[in-house]
């Protein structure tokens, strides 16, 4: 097998994530290519698309949400994602065991002891009756039906165990952070068509193969453990083994076996990678179990410091080189290491381009010693 260097894996990821060069594809096409965008804090998904698409505007994504071509709901790893509507219909049933596993965690089971999960879901759907309720109102009504239990946790469990789609305003550009007001609607009512089903083991395996192909198109080459970490499903090694004839094998820099789509091209490892500002929770940082192709283990601790946080970062030569944030009209850059003059200029140019998009006015450095030219 051909051995791939860490640099080769980095450039493959940058290329497939539209981070080697911005694309002219439409936002819905890019979301489809990436499978889904993590969006528990909705504004960040807009920034992720801005970093990948020429002349992207917030209104473009808002229109897709309003037209129901893109939906926001629980999906990969039981977290909130934006996905193309047709993809959501097909993927949510396949990923439902992951969400059920989360719903079976102590946070939920402590509140629902003695309450049958199917009955709880039936209650939630009955209260929704094919329409829309705010999370707050759904919680209140569930608490009325089940006195002595926390209605918010009951509503959260219902949302995990059955597909509920959020209203368009929840995923649109707006205030930063999690939205305080979220309205939910049963997915089939929102989309106007039924969710996909895979009633047999053969059907489930076929759906899993389709998910793996989609994953590789956006994140490959990769190991089995990478796709499992990305989606939350387990035992995918058996599925990949069954796909042996259609996949290409590589040897990774650590000697482990990687797999990829047979017709997927790999860019030249020496292809220049431009500076990019990535949002919090960006796909490129969350697509693998071993993330050293884009972020070192040392820097990963700084960016992913716990409590499900993934800070916004910037890339230099395809690798995370620091974090950024903005407040009081200033976009603040925090390099982890000194920047050479060329990289510093490229970073400032990219940050200046982002200013009007996020509503900031100036660029600064939080650590002048780290940002000095080397």
């Amino acid at each position: 097998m051909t051995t791939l260097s860490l640099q080769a894996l980095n450039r493959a990821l940058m290329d497939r994530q539209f981070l080697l060069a911005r694309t002219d594809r439409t936002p819905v096409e890019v979301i489809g290519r990436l499978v889904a965008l993590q969006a528990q804090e909705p504004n960040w998904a807009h920034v992720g698309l801005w970093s990948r698409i020429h002349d992207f505007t917030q209104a473009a994504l808002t229109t897709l949400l309003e037209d129901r071509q893109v939906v926001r709901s629980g999906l990969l790893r039981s977290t909130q994602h934006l996905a193309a509507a047709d993809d959501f219909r097909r993927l949510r049933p396949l990923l439902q065991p992951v969400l059920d596993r989360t719903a079976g965690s102590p946070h939920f089971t402590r509140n629902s002891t003695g309450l049958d999960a199917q009955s709880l879901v039936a209650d939630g759907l009955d209260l929704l009756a094919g329409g829309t309720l705010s999370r707050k109102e759904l919680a209140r009504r569930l608490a009325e039906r089940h006195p002595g239990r926390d209605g918010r946790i009951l509503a959260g469990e219902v949302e995990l165990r059955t597909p509920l789609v959020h209203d368009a305003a929840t995923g649109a550009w707006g205030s930063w952070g999690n939205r305080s007001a979220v309205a939910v609607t049963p997915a089939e009512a929102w989309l106007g068509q039924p969710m996909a089903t895979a009633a047999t083991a053969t059907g489930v395996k076929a759906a899993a193969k389709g998910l793996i192909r989609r994953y590789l198109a956006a994140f490959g080459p990769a190991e089995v453990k990478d796709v499992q970490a990305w989606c939350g499903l387990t035992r995918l090694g058996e599925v990949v083994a069954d796909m042996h004839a259609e996949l290409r094998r590589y040897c990774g820099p650590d000697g482990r076996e990687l797999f990829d789509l047979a017709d997927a091209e790999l860019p030249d490892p020496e292809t220049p990678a431009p500076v990019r500002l990535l949002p919090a929770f960006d796909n490129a940082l969350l697509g693998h179990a071993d993330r050293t192709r884009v972020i070192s283990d040392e820097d990963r601790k700084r960016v992913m410091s716990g409590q499900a946080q993934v800070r916004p970062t910037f890339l230099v030569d395809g690798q995370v080189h620091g974090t950024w944030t903005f407040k009081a009209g200033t976009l603040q850059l925090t390099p982890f290491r000194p920047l050479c003059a060329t990289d510093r200029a490229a970073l400032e140019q990219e940050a200046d381009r982002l200013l009007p998009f996020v509503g900031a006015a100036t660029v600064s450095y939080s650590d002048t010693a780290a940002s000095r030219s080397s």
Side-chain angles (χ1 to χ4, degrees):
M1 292 185 292
T2 301
T3 297
L4 299 179
S5 66
L6 204 59
Q7 175 90 346
L9 293 177
N10 174 269
R11 292 308 191 258
L13 178 64
M14 295 297 102
D15 183 46
R16 298 182 195 192
Q17 289 282 315
F18 302 112
L19 293 171
L20 276 187
R22 283 184 168 89
T23 180
D24 289 320
R25 297 190 191 191
T26 66
V28 71
E29 289 174 333
V30 171
I31 293 170
R33 167 66 174 267
L34 303 180
V35 186
L37 290 179
Q38 194 157 333
Q40 65 265 46
E41 295 186 22
N43 280 8
W44 289 123
H46 292 73
V47 176
L49 292 173
W50 176 90
S51 294
R52 291 168 166 87
I53 301 174
H54 284 296
D55 302 320
F56 173 76
T57 64
Q58 296 97 332
L61 180 54
T62 298
T63 298
L64 292 174
L65 290 161
E66 291 174 344
D67 291 345
R68 307 189 183 188
Q69 295 182 59
V70 169
V71 299
R72 180 180 189 259
S73 183
L75 199 61
L76 301 165
R77 305 179 301 278
S78 299
T79 53
Q80 306 304 324
H81 279 74
L82 295 179
D86 285 344
D87 284 341
F88 180 76
R89 286 183 52 250
R90 295 178 176 88
L91 296 179
R92 174 62 189 253
L94 175 65
L95 296 169
Q96 189 58 50
V98 181
L99 289 98
D100 288 340
R101 189 168 67 232
T102 302
S105 65
H107 173 74
F108 295 99
T109 57
R110 282 194 298 263
N111 187 62
S112 57
T113 301
L115 179 59
D116 178 70
Q118 290 185 337
S119 297
L120 175 60
V121 170
D123 282 343
L125 292 176
D126 181 54
L127 291 170
L128 287 160
T132 300
L133 286 176
S134 68
R135 277 176 169 171
K136 184 176 180 180
E137 181 62 13
L138 178 60
R140 186 188 69 79
R141 295 187 186 187
L142 284 169
E144 287 181 346
R145 290 197 178 190
H146 303 283
R149 304 179 192 270
D150 188 324
R152 293 171 300 175
I153 298 178
L154 292 177
E157 183 173 348
V158 169
E159 196 170 331
L160 284 167
R161 293 193 182 278
T162 193
L164 302 182
V165 172
H166 301 166
D167 63 314
T170 302
W173 183 264
S175 60
W176 290 88
N178 292 311
R179 302 291 158 82
S180 58
V182 177
V184 295
T185 308
E188 292 189 350
W190 181 265
L191 298 173
Q193 51 187 319
M195 302 294 284
T197 58
T200 66
T202 301
V204 170
K205 179 174 281 191
K209 288 181 179 179
L211 180 64
I212 290 167
R213 294 184 191 103
R214 296 286 300 279
Y215 169 82
L216 292 175
F219 297 96
E223 296 181 58
V224 172
K225 69 176 183 179
D226 292 321
V227 64
Q228 291 183 159
W230 168 77
C231 69
L233 292 171
T234 59
R235 299 183 179 180
L236 293 182
E238 303 170 11
V239 182
V240 171
D242 198 45
M243 300 171 68
H244 179 82
E246 66 175 274
L247 298 178
R248 180 180 297 168
R249 257 60 179 181
Y250 294 102
C251 184
D254 56 2
R256 296 181 180 177
E257 185 180 50
L258 306 174
F259 59 96
D260 199 8
L261 299 174
D263 59 353
E265 296 184 2
L266 298 179
D268 185 336
E270 300 304 317
T271 303
V275 167
R276 288 289 182 261
L277 275 76
L278 300 184
F281 314 105
D282 191 79
N283 272 30
L285 270 64
L286 297 173
H288 303 85
D290 179 356
R291 298 168 184 172
T292 53
R293 70 186 67 194
V294 67
I295 184 170
S296 69
D297 289 335
E298 177 185 359
D299 289 347
R300 181 173 175 174
K301 296 174 184 177
R302 302 180 185 186
V303 172
M304 306 169 195
S305 56
Q307 298 182 332
Q309 292 299 307
V310 182
R311 301 172 65 189
T313 60
F314 62 84
L315 305 179
V316 175
D317 193 30
Q319 285 282 331
V320 169
H321 200 98
T323 59
W324 64 275
T325 187
F326 66 93
K327 55 185 176 181
T330 298
L331 193 158
Q332 192 173 74
L333 303 164
T334 304
F336 295 154
R337 290 164 295 281
L339 293 159
C340 71
T342 301
D343 290 338
R344 179 184 174 113
L347 175 60
E348 291 174 1
Q349 182 179 37
E350 185 73 354
D352 282 339
R353 293 184 68 250
L354 183 59
L355 290 179
F357 190 88
V358 298
T362 59
V363 176
S364 72
Y365 290 92
S366 64
D367 185 344
T368 55
S371 64
R372 282 199 305 263
S373 299
S374 59

